[in-house]
Amino acid sequence: MRKFAIWLKNLFKKDIMLSVSLAVAIISLFITPPSKELLHDINWRTLATLFMLLSVLEGFKSENIFEPLLKRTKNLSSMKTLTVFFVYCVFFSSMFVTNDVSLIIFVPLTIIMFRAGGQEKYILPVLTFENIAAIRGSLLTPFGSPQNLFLYAKSGISTPEFMKMMAPLWIFSAFLLYIFISILYRKNSKEKIEIKEEIVSEPETAKKTHHKRRIMYQVLFVIVVASIVTRTHYYPVVLGLVFITLLIGDRKILVKTDYVLLLTFLCFFTFSSSICRHPAISGFLERSVAGHEYIWSILLSQVISNVPASIVLYPFSTNLRALLYGLDSAGLCSLIGSLASVINLRLYMREYPGKVFAFIKTFTWISLAFFAVVVLPQLALIKYFL
């Protein structure tokens, strides 16, 4: 029992976001006692999708599926060019595979390349740029992020209308990201990177042994992404298919899956569902949110993150544009603002477990600078199209 208590203490000390999410979930259960309705309100679809993505992409990492892409990046000898490559890979891919997945794919590759080239001093700012790219690139499409998908489904807006609404933010962010990258390398825009460590390929026999598993993970990835894009109601079937396939084909991946992150999501969803069912809180939100969606979505996201905030605020909102703009900008203010940022932090902590506060410091000042540039133009767009 004592060993378990020590393990639990170390877990919460290591995972700050888990500690925060669990604390607010427990508090919310005192506000609104647990019930069957509470369980029904939790966004189980998002949790199931996240489990599938984390498991399949853990398999990608295990089988070195991105090795060809990694080898291609070795031809990019300039630090600025390499940074632009990774940041815009995240920016454009996040529109289709969601911001979470784009970070899961490219953050580990970024760390590997910059470490191999002896340029670890740039890892923190570049990962922050990738985080911004994931948040701002994904906002263009209805399926780019969980909150976009939720609001798209609830509002009934068409896909062309949605993309037209978000396009100005997306285009401006694409240009602004390049400016931020240029500022990072302002002292030497042609600074070189030389890969000192060779990327060792597996023996031919090992490649043959793992060939079937590599195909399995690629097929599963296509199935999972298709279930997200099509918004199928049969996601439990897809979940069962993924789980059974992994259980038979590569069960060790099920052990490696990041269940701490899943628990963090669950805690935030519990909180949002609980406070929505409290009459006094619901009455307050009904009086306060309408007409102030932009500021409410940004501020509330700093407490419970943008996905739960979208669930809490949508029933009381009358301006979809303002709500979307706020939720898709909230992740620029703090780590809690977007659950994609939590994923980025956890990916970094796997490689640098003792540098969590260094990550938070760099992330915060760069992201807030980006937010400071975009916040007023977005507000002007909201007022103009009101």
Side-chain angles (χ1 to χ4, degrees):
M1 188 67 181
R2 185 170 178 274
K3 289 183 178 180
F4 175 75
I6 294 173
W7 173 82
L8 198 61
K9 180 181 177 181
N10 291 334
L11 174 64
F12 286 110
K13 185 177 179 181
K14 179 181 177 182
D15 294 283
I16 297 175
M17 286 301 300
L18 175 60
S19 303
V20 173
S21 65
L22 184 59
V24 298
I26 292 173
I27 291 171
S28 71
L29 293 178
F30 283 99
I31 297 173
T32 306
S35 63
K36 290 183 180 179
E37 289 77 14
L38 173 64
L39 291 174
H40 181 267
D41 289 343
I42 292 174
N43 197 328
W44 298 106
R45 180 185 186 124
T46 299
L47 290 172
T49 302
L50 182 61
F51 166 77
M52 291 187 287
L53 290 172
L54 290 173
S55 299
V56 171
L57 289 167
E58 187 65 38
F60 273 40
K61 183 179 177 182
S62 176
E63 298 301 323
N64 295 319
I65 289 176
F66 294 109
E67 186 181 11
L69 178 61
L70 188 57
K71 287 183 175 180
R72 286 180 180 273
T73 60
K74 290 181 66 177
N75 298 324
L76 304 174
S77 58
S78 163
M79 286 296 301
K80 183 177 179 180
T81 304
L82 186 64
T83 300
V84 167
F85 172 81
F86 276 122
V87 169
Y88 284 94
C89 277
V90 173
F91 186 83
F92 290 110
S93 65
S94 64
M95 295 187 295
F96 305 103
V97 299
T98 77
N99 49 22
D100 305 334
V101 179
S102 62
L103 289 172
I104 292 171
I105 292 173
F106 290 104
V107 166
L109 295 181
T110 303
I111 293 174
I112 290 171
M113 284 299 298
F114 280 65
R115 180 186 286 165
Q119 295 287 2
E120 288 184 274
K121 63 181 179 180
Y122 289 112
I123 286 179
L124 281 174
V126 172
L127 292 191
T128 302
F129 293 155
E130 289 181 358
N131 201 95
I132 295 171
I135 292 171
R136 304 300 284 183
S138 64
L139 60 77
L140 181 65
T141 61
F143 43 82
S145 63
Q147 71 272 10
N148 278 15
L149 188 59
F150 171 76
L151 294 173
Y152 173 73
K154 285 287 186 179
S155 65
I157 189 174
S158 69
T159 301
E161 286 179 306
F162 186 98
M163 296 182 70
K164 182 180 178 181
M165 183 191 302
M166 307 305 288
L169 276 62
W170 185 81
I171 294 170
F172 183 52
S173 296
F175 283 107
L176 191 57
L177 269 170
Y178 187 80
I179 293 173
F180 269 60
I181 294 171
S182 299
I183 292 173
L184 177 64
Y185 297 109
R186 64 190 181 281
K187 293 182 179 179
N188 185 1
S189 61
K190 297 182 179 180
E191 183 176 355
K192 300 297 181 180
I193 180 171
E194 296 180 4
I195 306 301
K196 299 176 182 178
E197 301 175 10
E198 288 297 325
I199 301 172
V200 181
S201 300
E202 294 177 297
E204 199 63 34
T205 54
K207 287 186 177 181
K208 291 180 180 178
T209 303
H210 295 165
H211 182 65
K212 290 183 178 180
R213 283 210 295 261
R214 289 176 173 175
I215 293 176
M216 176 188 76
Y217 282 117
Q218 292 176 55
V219 171
L220 287 178
F221 180 73
V222 171
I223 292 173
V224 173
V225 171
S227 73
I228 296 170
V229 172
T230 60
R231 293 177 288 180
T232 178
H233 295 295
Y234 299 105
Y235 76 90
V237 177
V238 181
L239 174 63
L241 174 65
V242 171
F243 181 79
I244 293 172
T245 303
L246 293 177
L247 190 63
I248 296 173
D250 194 7
R251 65 183 62 186
K252 72 178 185 294
I253 291 299
L254 294 173
V255 178
K256 294 181 179 179
T257 299
D258 195 347
Y259 294 104
V260 172
L261 182 60
L262 290 170
L263 180 58
T264 302
F265 270 70
L266 177 60
C267 289
F268 277 128
F269 283 135
T270 301
F271 174 79
S272 63
S273 300
S274 294
I275 65 172
C276 270
R277 288 202 166 269
H278 192 276
I281 296 175
S282 295
F284 170 74
L285 291 174
E286 190 170 1
R287 295 188 301 270
S288 305
V289 173
H292 306 283
E293 291 88 349
Y294 187 57
I295 187 66
W296 262 98
S297 57
I298 292 173
L299 294 179
L300 185 59
S301 295
Q302 308 316 307
V303 181
I304 62 174
S305 189
N306 55 5
V307 179
S310 67
I311 301 169
V312 172
L313 296 176
Y314 177 74
F316 312 103
S317 174
T318 57
N319 188 333
L320 179 63
R321 181 187 296 270
L323 187 61
L324 279 166
Y325 282 15
L327 292 169
D328 285 334
S329 304
L332 301 174
C333 298
S334 72
L335 278 169
I336 299 176
S338 172
L339 292 177
S341 305
V342 180
I343 291 176
N344 199 0
L345 173 60
R346 286 198 56 78
L347 292 169
Y348 178 78
M349 286 173 58
R350 286 185 180 182
E351 303 297 329
Y352 302 95
K355 296 185 177 181
V356 59
F357 291 107
F359 181 96
I360 294 173
K361 180 181 177 181
T362 302
F363 171 90
T364 301
W365 75 263
I366 294 178
S367 291
L368 280 177
F370 197 97
F371 177 77
V373 178
V374 301
V375 61
L376 291 180
Q378 290 179 172
L379 187 59
L381 281 172
I382 293 169
K383 296 293 183 182
Y384 179 76
F385 286 102
L386 188 62

